[in-house]
Amino acid sequence: HGVVLVAAASAEQAMQSCGEDGTRLVVVDLRVPGLDVADLVARVRSAKPQAAIVACGPHVHTQSLAAATAAGCDAVFTRGEFERRIDGLFATLTGPGASEDAARP
């Protein structure tokens, strides 16, 4: 799809990457140790209000999935659901007529 992916091992690294122009989608892996998803979502919204935020985690981590929803993520998926939808998310970002608002899942 021609997207540039940047992996981050921590919320701090993610925020440094979000400081760059062009961030349209932030994917949060809810398995990251010590992650404060509410803090990360608030920080991303402040730095890149146009970026969509998608969180994913194992289906058995119901508390983490619920916390991501409560934090205001645009979409929250189980890992399997995310893997099935990632192609569509990228297509939304890069397809004909894609706009900043089209990044929202």
Side-chain angles (χ1 to χ4, degrees), residues 30 53-57 64-70 72-78 81 105:
L30 296 172
I53 303 172
V54 174
C56 60
S64 294
L65 295 167
T69 299
C73 290
D74 295 300
V76 179
F77 302 121
T78 63
E81 187 178 11

Side-chain angles (χ1 to χ4, degrees), residues 3-58:
V3 297
V4 175
L5 300 175
V6 178
S10 69
E12 286 306 315
Q13 286 180 353
M15 288 309 304
Q16 289 173 355
S17 296
C18 281
E20 300 171 6
D21 291 336
T23 301
R24 306 233 350 253
L25 175 66
V26 174
V27 178
V28 179
D29 184 343
L30 296 172
R31 298 175 299 169
V32 171
L35 175 67
D36 181 341
V37 70
D39 179 64
L40 179 59
V41 169
R43 291 172 65 193
V44 170
R45 292 276 186 238
S46 177
K48 291 292 182 179
Q50 77 284 1
I53 303 172
V54 174
C56 60

Side-chain angles (χ1 to χ4, degrees), residues 24 52 89 92-93 97-105:
R24 306 233 350 253
L89 288 170
T92 300
L93 292 173
S99 68
E100 300 264 329
D101 293 331
R104 302 277 181 219

